[in-house]
Amino acid sequence: MTDFITNVTLFVLAAFLGYSVITKIPATLHTPLMSGANAITGITLVGAVVVAGSGATTFATVLGFVAVVMATVNVVGGYLVSHFMLEDFHGGGRRDG
Amino acid sequence: MVEVLSEQVVRLAYLLSAVLFIQGLRDMTHPRTAVRGNLVSAVGMLIAVGVTVLWFEIISPVVLIGGLIVGGLVGAWLAVRVEMTQMPQLVGVFNGFGGGASALVAGAELVEFQAAAGGSFPLELAVAAAVSGIIGAVTLFGSMVAAGKLHGVISTGAVRYSGEHAVKAALLLVAVVAGIYLVVQPDLLSAYLHAAWVPPYWVLILAASVLGVMLVIPIGGADMPVVIALLNSYSGLAAAGTGFVLNNTALIIAGTLVGAAGMILTVIMCDAMNRSLTNVLFGGFGEVATPEEMDEIYEGNITETSPEELEMLLDTAGRVVIVPGYGMAVAQAQHAVAELAELLDADGVDVAFGIHPVAGRMPGHMNVLLAEADVPYDMMKELTEINPTFSQTDVVIVIGANDVVNPLANEDDSSPISGMPVLNVGEADTVIVNKRSLSPGFSGIPNPLFARANTYMLFGDGKESMQDVVNEYKDSR
């Protein structure tokens, strides 16, 4: 049960921290914020790696494999599209050409 | 493989990852540092996944590596080949995958627990798995429907039917009952329901999956910014829930951060329409205006203009504001619009873009389209920043936007968009509206702006019209 209380503590603190950081992000960057945040959700890959690799039962392994594929798509795709979008943003002086 | 790293090292590595995620998000507060922020966040992910692979006993490395390669290739392929205009649906798909993965991981953990320990699940495990499963499955299927609507393969209209709320309530009830069954595990029908594959969990997933479809199907295309932001939040919460299942701090912190991010965006989008989340999800707009109502406002009051006339106005303008809407994205007119802005700016005209928070199909949609077309971000102004400047503006060009510039929001208390913050373009000397026709926007109501004396309609395709204006402008220089 102490683990559970620690987890709840982390959850509540992370929610407050997330709120205060994300409210400062300008509307211009809301799309890359979403895809970047989305890539972070791919952290579930960590859990997927554990269940896919442990091979406890065949069924769990199959579930783990599908989860690894989905989470990796999310992580790799999410970070890449955010990168491409953010690279387009430039300000102040105009680019030549 | 033996244990390579001690558990303490793994936990500290997760903490480092969490710090990098937070720093990455902090760097997102300015376009100059945002590229770095995204990389910092990606490094955090690499560390978290790396130590996990090294630490845990990997009995079936082929399965794991195969999954990583397949997922990595598919993700990279989608990211590289996507057009900027398809970005909303791709973000939707990625969202869904995150949520789906979380639901599957929670299920796999239950199956493993059953196989290893047997007996009943600990309370925390069962509750967390049920929550993660419901949210994850709703996210996966809701996102797929949202992406289908955005891609035009599913009707983008608001599909309403009688009894829809009862259907949704029933599905949620089934999912919750299955969740309670997991938690309580009564001896009822034990031979069937206590099988090794944990049947109640999959009943829960099935009900939540159908619920995800049913929740998003009725919601119209223009409300997708809210839906996409909300599903973004859900995918984070599903990951956090899975973190509770696995007792994994990295999942809890990262998932919660994303949950908060999505929730904030959801609230911003709802405020920008002066509608509650409940109204967006379960309400929707009423009937579309009848031709008679439209005629009453438009008949005899519409003044058409041409690219030539618009060019002449721009020749003498000191300040020009361009207001883009979803129509600009549909017509792929952003490059022509950006070129026009660049030409005007080079001639010393004060040019700005006025961007409404819900313009487009996801938060910040117009901004990424314009950024791709090389519009500098300091030209893109938010609603509160641009509104006080319209009275000193010579020409406003509205391209493919409708409801976000509808003065009824301020003037008519009985209007369905009453109280919605709008861009007060009518305060400028001249307003040019580029649209294909006078058809109403998403709210289904006519727009009196089009009938005003200082408004001129430039009918036609956005891209062609803007290109014509650019060509006229170049010729006259």
Side-chain angles (χ1 to χ4, degrees):
Chain A
M1 206 61 189
T2 48
D3 266 351
F4 181 71
I5 299 300
T6 312
N7 291 344
V8 173
T9 310
L10 284 175
F11 177 78
V12 173
L13 293 181
F16 272 93
L17 183 65
Y19 180 82
S20 59
V21 171
I22 289 145
T23 42
K24 293 192 184 73
I25 295 175
T28 282
L29 294 182
H30 277 169
T31 295
L33 164 67
M34 260 202 328
S35 63
N38 199 212
I40 295 177
T41 348
I43 187 69
T44 202
L45 176 57
V46 165
V49 163
V50 177
V51 291
S54 65
T57 67
T58 312
F59 184 49
T61 307
V62 170
L63 291 176
F65 175 78
V66 179
V68 167
V69 172
M70 288 173 105
T72 312
V73 169
N74 191 2
V75 168
V76 175
Y79 280 120
L80 275 179
V81 291
S82 303
H83 185 76
F84 294 150
M85 280 192 274
L86 289 169
E87 270 196 325
D88 285 333
F89 280 93
H90 57 95
R94 197 165 298 278
R95 272 201 296 214
D96 294 324
Chain B
M1 200 190 289
V2 287
E3 288 186 11
V4 184
L5 302 166
S6 76
E7 192 185 341
Q8 276 83 356
V9 175
V10 173
R11 291 195 148 212
L12 286 173
Y14 285 166
L15 175 62
L16 177 62
S17 295
V19 169
L20 292 175
F21 291 148
I22 293 161
Q23 184 54 42
L25 287 172
R26 284 182 42 153
D27 283 345
M28 284 267 201
T29 49
H30 198 282
R32 255 201 315 277
T33 54
V35 175
R36 183 187 70 199
N38 191 52
L39 291 174
V40 167
S41 176
V43 169
M45 184 63 70
L46 196 64
I47 291 173
V49 176
V51 297
T52 310
V53 171
L54 288 179
W55 184 54
F56 283 92
E57 273 186 75
I58 305 295
I59 294 165
S60 37
V62 180
V63 172
L64 177 60
I65 293 166
L68 289 170
I69 290 174
V70 172
L73 288 177
V74 172
W77 181 74
L78 285 171
V80 170
R81 69 162 274 286
V82 70
E83 297 284 328
M84 201 53 82
T85 43
Q86 298 169 331
M87 203 52 88
Q89 50 267 48
L90 186 66
V91 170
V93 168
F94 286 161
N95 250 333
F97 278 17
S102 293
L104 290 179
V105 172
E109 183 64 18
L110 290 179
V111 172
E112 289 206 348
F113 185 91
Q114 187 101 322
S120 59
F121 301 118
L123 181 67
E124 302 100 277
L125 175 67
V127 171
V131 169
S132 178
I134 292 178
I135 300 178
V138 165
T139 307
L140 173 59
F141 283 88
S143 296
M144 291 305 146
V145 173
K149 281 181 175 253
L150 291 165
H151 205 65
V153 291
I154 298 177
S155 159
T156 54
V159 184
R160 301 269 164 197
Y161 51 92
S162 63
E164 59 164 287
H165 297 314
V167 170
K168 285 180 256 185
L171 287 165
L172 181 63
L173 187 70
V174 172
V176 169
V177 168
I180 292 171
Y181 190 94
L182 269 182
V183 174
V184 182
Q185 290 195 302
D187 275 335
L188 198 71
L189 300 170
S190 53
Y192 299 103
L193 292 172
H194 291 213
W197 52 283
V198 196
Y201 185 76
W202 305 107
V203 171
L204 175 148
I205 291 291
L206 183 67
S209 301
V210 182
L211 177 63
V213 173
M214 291 303 169
L215 279 173
V216 181
I217 279 273
I219 302 174
D223 280 338
M224 283 303 138
V226 179
V227 174
I228 295 278
L230 187 67
L231 290 169
N232 190 221
S233 176
Y234 283 180
S235 71
L237 294 176
T242 303
F244 277 84
V245 172
L246 301 174
N247 253 324
N248 185 313
T249 53
L251 260 74
I252 295 174
I253 297 176
T256 311
L257 287 173
V258 180
M263 211 41 93
I264 291 166
L265 290 177
T266 308
V267 170
I268 292 174
M269 295 298 116
C270 288
D271 286 352
M273 296 193 290
N274 191 37
R275 290 165 66 197
S276 67
L277 182 57
T278 321
N279 180 270
V280 173
L281 294 183
F282 303 110
F285 286 113
E287 293 301 301
V288 174
T290 61
E292 292 74 37
E293 286 173 284
M294 308 260 289
D295 281 350
E296 199 178 310
I297 290 173
Y298 295 145
E299 186 115 61
N301 296 323
I302 297 294
T303 322
E304 273 195 59
T305 187
S306 63
E308 296 78 24
E309 282 176 5
L310 173 52
E311 190 279 320
M312 279 187 272
L313 275 171
L314 294 175
D315 270 344
T316 55
R319 179 176 165 79
V320 174
V321 174
I322 302 170
V323 175
Y326 183 58
M328 180 185 82
V330 174
Q332 307 233 24
Q334 66 271 23
H335 293 281
V337 172
E339 193 181 356
L340 181 64
E342 190 175 351
L343 287 168
L344 290 168
D345 185 60
D347 287 349
V349 179
D350 182 10
V351 190
F353 286 84
I355 300 175
H356 194 278
V358 293
R361 289 294 185 261
M362 67 178 163
H365 190 183
M366 295 295 116
N367 305 74
V368 287
L369 282 178
L370 292 170
E372 189 216 4
D374 276 346
V375 173
Y377 63 76
D378 54 7
M379 253 190 204
M380 306 175 200
K381 306 293 185 195
E382 293 179 27
L383 177 110
T384 47
E385 210 179 338
I386 200 86
N387 254 350
T389 70
F390 281 119
S391 53
Q392 298 108 50
T393 299
D394 301 302
V395 180
V396 172
I397 304 172
V398 177
I399 163 157
N402 191 345
D403 291 331
V404 297
V405 294
N406 194 332
L408 284 180
N410 298 326
E411 293 161 3
D412 180 3
D413 287 342
S414 64
S415 161
I417 60 167
S418 166
M420 167 171 163
V422 289
L423 292 154
N424 300 320
V425 295
E427 291 173 9
D429 284 348
T430 310
V431 181
I432 308 292
V433 179
N434 174 216
K435 256 171 93 25
R436 277 182 306 192
S437 68
L438 285 171
S439 62
F442 179 63
S443 66
I445 58 172
N447 190 340
L449 173 77
F450 304 160
R452 290 205 172 164
N454 65 337
T455 302
Y456 299 88
M457 300 301 295
L458 178 62
F459 289 114
D461 173 74
K463 188 175 179 180
E464 281 169 27
S465 304
M466 286 302 126
Q467 201 56 57
D468 288 346
V469 176
V470 167
N471 293 341
E472 291 287 337
Y473 193 84
K474 279 184 180 162
D475 289 346
S476 73
R477 284 168 107 190

